[in-house]
Each structure stands twice: as C-alpha cells, then as structure tokens.
Amino acid sequence: MKKLLLRSVIVLVALVGLNWLASFIYVRWDLTEDQRYTISEASRQLLQNLDRDVHVTVYLSGDFPPGFERLENATRETLEEFETYAGGRLTYQFIDPSAATSEEQRQRQYAQLVDRGLTPTNLFANEEGKRTEKLIFPGAIVQVDTLGVPVQLLKGNRSSSSEEQLNQSYEGVEFELASAIRLMAPQERKRVGLLVSHTTIPPARLSDLIATLQQSYDVFLDVNSPESYDGLDALLVLKPDQPFNEDEKYKIDQYVVGGGNALFFIDGARVDSVSMEGTFAQPLDLNLSDLFFRWGVRVNTNLVKDLNSALIPLNVGNMGDAPQIQPLPWRFFPLLNNFGTHPITRNTDAIFARFMSSIDTVGGAAGLRKLPLLMTSPYTKLLNAPALVAYNEARQQPSPAEYNGGIKLAAVLLEGQFTSLFQNRILPSDPRSAGFRAQGEAGRVLVASDGDLVVNDFDYRRNAPLPLGYDRVSQNIYGNKDFILHALDYMTDAQGLITARNKQISIRPLDKVRVQEQRTRWQLLNLLLPVGLVGIFGALRYYWRRRKFGR
C-alpha cells in the first residue's frame, strides 16, 4: 500500500513539474507531410510585434459542401495559430451572414458586406434531387480600432477546376490574412517611385494602381526629374511611350547597379487606335534596348496573337434595324495563364494583356539569374511591326495551323549583380565619374512586355476608374493587380510575407467510382471493426484475470 501511495505521489509531482515547465517553454509540432499547420517566420514576427488589438470577423460559416468546409477549417486553423503567436492581441469570430430572422434583414446584411468590400459567390448544390442556390461570402474583415480591411479568401486561378481553386485558396489563407494585418500594423513603409514622365497615359488610367500602392508604400511620382533614384526601395516604369535620353538611362542604370529594384512595364510596338478596317502597329523605340541587352533580355518590336484570348464586342449583323452585338475572341488581347514556378505567380489568376510583345533572353549577362514569370499558351502567332491590327479580324475563324509559334515569354525576373551599360564609357574628366559604379550590390529587375498590364479602364458615364484587370465584356477582374503587388512585395522584401505563398498542400481525392462500389464494405468495416476489437480485448482481459485469480 505504501509503495502504491509513493508511486502515486511521484507521478503527481512529475505531472505538476511538467506543466510548470510547459508554462515557460512553448513547443508545437506539425507532423503533417506538407506542414499545413505551420506559419512562416515572417507571419510570426508580424504577429509577435503587434502593438494594437486586431479582430478578424470571418463570414465563411454555415452549411457548406466539403470543399468549402475545408476552406473554413483552414481559416479557423490559421487564425488559431495567429492567436497563439499574437500574445492576446488577436481575436476572431465566425459569422454566418445568411442567418437572419427575416429576408429583409438578410438582404441588409448582404448589402453591408458588399459595401465593406467583400465579394459574394453563388454556391450551387443538389439537395434531395433539387438544385439549390445559396449566396455566400467567402471572406473576412480584419479590424483595428475603427478601420477594417476586406480579405477575399476564395482566390486562385479561375481556369482551374473548382476543387483545385479551393485548394489554391486553402494554400493562400495565411498570406491573405497576414497581408491584411500588415496593412493595419504600424511599420516602416517602403519607398516606391513611379516613373510616369515618359507616358501620355492619363493619370486616371493609372489611378487604381497608385491608390492601391499608397495603402502599403510611400509613393513618389517622377515629376521633378530627380538627380538619382537612390533611396527608393523600388522603381516602377509605367507604360512609357516617349524615348529616354542618355542621362535618364544613366540614372536607371546606376540605380539598378547599386542594388535597386526596377519593374518595367513597356511595349515593343505602338498601337494608338484601332478601327474596323485596321491601323498599323509601329515599332516603339524607347532607347532602352541596349540597357536591356546588357541585362540579358530583349523586348521585340512585334505583336503576339494568342488563341487563348479575351473577347471584344462586335457587330456581327443586323436583325431588322437593330445591330447584333456579339462577344468574339480577339487574339491581340492574350490571356496569360502560363506561369513560372515562383511565389510571385503561384496560384495567380490569368493576366489580361493588350497588344503584347514577346521577350527573348540573350547571353552575355554573367552573374544574373533569369526566371520566367508570365508566358503565353503554345498556340501563338507573331506579327513583326509594322503590322495591321483590325477589329474585323475577330470575325474570322482562325486556323490552328497558323498559330504554331509556341510559348512566348511575356515577363521575366532578373536577379544578381548587374554590370553597368556605361562601363568603360565614363571618362575621368566626366563629372559623373566620381560616383560611378561599374558593378555593385545584388538587385532585381522585372521586365514585362506589355505596358497595359498596369493600366485600368475608365467608366466615363460614372466618371470613375474601373479596377485594374477588369474586363468589360466578361466582367471578370483578372490577376493584373495581384501580379504587380506580389512582384513588388517580393522585390522589396524577398524573405517577408511573400514566402507564405510557397505553401503547397497536395490534393488527395478519393476514387469516386471505388467509393461507390465499396461503400457498403467500408461502412460495415467501420461499424464492426471497433466493436470486434473491444470484444477481443475484453475476452483476453477476462482470460488473463481468470488465469491469475481463478485458483
């Protein structure tokens, strides 16, 4: 009896001691193969440094099919991890926006969520042989004090299957939530310069990009022609249509050589206007070709036609006195849905391009790594400028045999130590020689061969800009803005929150045919196996006790 009491005391003391130690030592183990419950180091740092209370309200709640339940669970699990690292600064709740006492109240709740920036989704399901439709809001509001940031949780490439898109959304939950929290948390803001002095695009056509950048960065416009771009964390060259002089090119060269980050969104051919009969696209010389060539890329003076393209409305005839307007694919507006393996483009939706040129990589750029980001489909055709561009071409059925140009590069990322174009060209007597850098720190350059990637459309009836990437015909918002923001995020902080986009969770679907065929077998196994194991254990225990005490 004394031995039993002593053992009990020892076990009790050990448990108390372990719990006391656990209060000082925090350990969590993620035993999943794809580390689905582990958040990135950048997210942990962000949460641990919060100095204000953050509340997250998730509206993805209710009776959902398994795919949306999985997304709901992923959001809940991610917020549980966030809550753990935030040290009491983060709280969250799940709300079903469809739960209301009346239809009027439900519609009022829906309208409030739309006003706050959440996009609803129609969810279709079959219930007892009847097709039902339900409006859901797969999103959240991140709230700090009186400010709230909407977060869309259902994201991904819409050309993927619904199961793949839900899995892409699952993988992006951490990044989307952490990015919204970062917007609300005070931090040192990066300095981003926009070089707009060489474009004739009206400011309203760049307003959506500028307004979005101002939420996260200190934005400076290139209106006063600074002596240099040193001090900027990134420089964006937005759809230039006027050539750069040698001094301006020298400033860009020295900024990149000094470890700067530059993003070029430029055209290889100029298309000013298009008519039914057509107009000629002319080569566009920006006086940057030699600079790009030194970096190992060439933007060609051509136009890429792609069978995977957007639509334009076209009058295909009259019925009586009324014109018949029909959307038709126009191959001069490629939809870029072929991406490189990089966190910038991972799980990104298709990119809406207009009058795109092709990019070639060339040798001679030692020490630079070239990473393809955006590419066309394999079904392309090149037109060297000058080239005829006409709306009437959309009426013609294309011959697939003509679109055999293969995959064309539309955006490339360059990383490494850049060598100056002006090496061995700056004389000692030149005033610039004192601060000239032939080679410096490692930097990054992104070159995209379509300036329209950064240009938003404009609604002149409402006198308001449309979202960047919005297509009037399909009414889809493509991934142009996400691509630019992710690229800028990576280039200014490669080890930051952008690393959360590397998370990859494998889909392990069940074989639906085998499930249907073997359904009864597995149901019986799940029902009888636990009962049988308990029975066997009980019989063995009874037999052992009978042998031990049955004397």
Side-chain angles (χ1 to χ4, degrees):
M1 185 67 181
K2 289 182 179 180
K3 290 183 178 180
L4 180 61
L5 181 61
L6 181 60
R7 288 176 182 174
S8 300
V9 171
I10 292 173
V11 170
L12 181 61
V13 170
L15 289 175
V16 172
L18 286 173
N19 278 277
W20 180 75
L21 288 174
S23 65
F24 297 98
I25 302 173
Y26 178 75
V27 178
R28 292 168 74 90
W29 286 318
D30 186 351
L31 300 179
T32 58
E33 180 184 0
D34 43 26
Q35 298 293 291
R36 65 183 61 192
Y37 303 116
T38 301
I39 64 175
S40 66
E41 179 62 29
S43 297
R44 288 199 292 268
Q45 291 291 332
L46 172 68
L47 296 166
Q48 290 169 351
N49 294 329
L50 287 177
D51 62 352
R52 287 188 258 178
D53 292 338
V54 177
H55 183 73
V56 183
T57 304
V58 183
Y59 295 95
L60 185 63
S61 180
D63 184 18
F64 297 138
F68 280 91
E69 282 187 1
R70 186 166 174 257
L71 180 58
E72 178 186 358
N73 292 335
T75 306
R76 193 183 304 275
E77 291 160 358
T78 302
L79 288 173
E80 286 175 357
E81 290 293 306
F82 279 18
E83 185 181 41
T84 300
Y85 289 103
R89 285 291 190 180
L90 185 140
T91 57
Y92 65 91
Q93 67 178 136
F94 282 71
I95 293 177
D96 182 1
S98 300
T101 57
S102 65
E103 182 62 27
E104 181 181 355
Q105 183 185 6
R106 182 181 295 109
Q107 294 301 323
R108 193 183 308 118
Q109 290 177 353
Y110 289 167
Q112 290 174 352
L113 293 179
V114 172
D115 290 340
R116 298 191 70 180
L118 293 184
T119 303
T121 298
N122 281 321
L123 182 63
F124 298 96
N126 291 316
E127 296 180 358
E128 298 179 356
K130 296 182 180 179
R131 183 177 174 84
T132 61
E133 180 179 352
K134 180 182 179 181
L135 195 67
I136 66 172
F137 285 81
I141 299 291
V142 176
Q143 190 90 17
V144 174
D145 298 328
T146 59
L147 299 178
V149 174
V151 179
Q152 289 298 135
L153 298 174
L154 182 61
K155 300 192 75 171
N157 195 303
R158 73 190 71 205
S159 66
S160 304
S161 67
S162 58
E163 186 177 16
E164 290 173 333
Q165 188 176 0
L166 281 167
N167 194 67
Q168 293 168 2
S169 303
Y170 186 118
E171 295 172 339
V173 166
E174 178 194 338
F175 177 77
E176 299 298 334
L177 291 173
S179 297
I181 294 173
R182 181 178 59 178
L183 283 177
M184 315 296 287
Q187 58 182 326
E188 182 181 357
R189 290 165 65 93
K190 304 286 187 179
R191 298 163 56 89
V192 173
L194 305 183
L195 206 161
V196 295
S197 55
H198 286 69
T199 183
T200 56
I201 294 294
R205 302 290 301 279
L206 299 170
S207 58
D208 188 36
L209 175 62
I210 295 174
T212 304
L213 292 178
Q214 287 174 334
Q215 295 177 10
S216 305
Y217 303 93
D218 290 335
V219 178
F220 302 88
L221 299 182
D222 181 56
V223 291
N224 297 321
S225 298
E227 292 298 321
S228 74
Y229 298 113
D230 293 343
L232 293 177
D233 294 290
L235 175 68
L236 279 74
V237 182
L238 304 180
K239 195 175 170 61
D241 48 30
Q242 300 170 20
F244 292 78
N245 61 40
E246 291 300 307
D247 287 338
E248 293 166 335
K249 186 162 58 175
Y250 177 81
K251 287 190 297 185
I252 296 174
D253 171 273
Q254 288 297 283
Y255 171 71
V256 172
V257 170
N261 303 297
L263 296 86
F264 294 85
F265 299 90
I266 64 173
D267 297 316
R270 182 197 303 271
V271 182
D272 293 323
S273 62
V274 184
S275 64
M276 297 299 291
E277 292 76 19
T279 188
F280 278 96
Q282 301 293 340
L284 179 60
D285 183 12
L286 298 173
N287 193 28
L288 294 176
S289 299
D290 53 352
L291 185 62
F292 290 159
F293 196 85
R294 172 58 63 94
W295 296 343
V297 297
R298 179 176 60 231
V299 178
N300 298 308
T301 56
N302 58 21
L303 292 180
V304 178
K305 297 173 67 177
D306 194 335
L307 288 184
N308 184 32
S309 57
L311 306 173
I312 59 170
L314 210 62
N315 183 2
V316 296
N318 293 333
M319 182 172 290
D321 295 332
Q324 298 298 302
I325 307 298
Q326 182 177 339
L328 295 174
W330 202 39
R331 270 71 64 180
F332 290 101
F333 283 5
L335 291 180
L336 304 177
N337 203 20
N338 186 7
F339 304 115
T341 56
H342 197 278
I344 291 177
T345 52
R346 178 166 172 73
N347 294 340
T348 301
D349 201 359
I351 308 296
F352 186 17
R354 298 182 177 95
F355 305 120
M356 189 198 87
S357 301
S358 65
I359 294 177
D360 289 335
T361 57
V362 296
L368 292 182
R369 191 165 58 132
K370 304 168 188 176
L371 305 171
L373 295 179
L374 301 182
M375 292 163 284
T376 67
S377 79
Y379 308 105
T380 61
K381 179 179 180 180
L382 293 181
L383 297 180
N384 292 319
L388 181 64
V389 181
Y391 284 129
N392 267 327
E393 187 175 327
R395 299 171 181 265
Q396 304 169 6
Q397 183 67 26
S399 171
E402 296 180 5
Y403 287 80
N404 58 359
I407 296 174
K408 300 302 178 185
L409 186 60
V412 61
L413 176 67
L414 312 173
E415 293 183 321
Q417 284 190 322
F418 291 81
T419 301
S420 173
L421 173 67
F422 296 86
Q423 186 180 31
N424 302 323
R425 292 169 53 181
I426 301 296
L427 300 176
S429 59
D430 193 318
R432 299 175 297 182
S433 62
F436 174 71
R437 293 169 293 202
Q439 193 171 39
E441 302 176 10
R444 298 182 179 91
V445 169
L446 184 150
V447 179
S449 56
D450 180 15
D452 289 298
L453 293 184
V454 298
V455 178
N456 59 262
D457 210 340
F458 195 84
D459 189 339
Y460 292 97
R461 288 184 296 181
R462 295 189 300 112
N463 195 32
L466 295 171
L468 179 59
Y470 179 76
D471 177 19
R472 288 176 182 266
V473 179
S474 66
Q475 297 184 350
N476 290 328
I477 299 178
Y478 289 100
N480 297 42
K481 188 190 297 185
D482 285 341
F483 169 69
I484 298 166
L485 293 179
H486 295 162
L488 193 56
D489 201 0
Y490 172 80
M491 297 178 76
T492 57
D493 189 8
Q495 301 303 318
L497 288 183
I498 193 70
T499 57
R501 290 179 56 80
N502 286 321
K503 180 175 286 188
Q504 185 170 358
I505 299 173
S506 302
I507 302 178
R508 298 179 176 88
L510 296 175
D511 188 326
K512 295 182 179 180
V513 175
R514 292 185 62 189
V515 167
Q516 189 65 29
E517 292 176 349
Q518 303 175 11
R519 179 171 186 161
T520 304
R521 182 197 309 173
W522 288 107
Q523 286 177 336
L524 290 174
L525 184 64
N526 288 329
L527 178 64
L528 299 179
L529 182 60
V531 177
L533 290 176
V534 171
I536 293 172
F537 175 76
L540 291 174
R541 187 171 183 273
Y542 173 76
Y543 173 74
W544 176 77
R545 288 179 62 86
R546 185 179 178 88
R547 286 194 58 185
K548 184 175 181 179
F549 301 106
R551 295 181 181 175

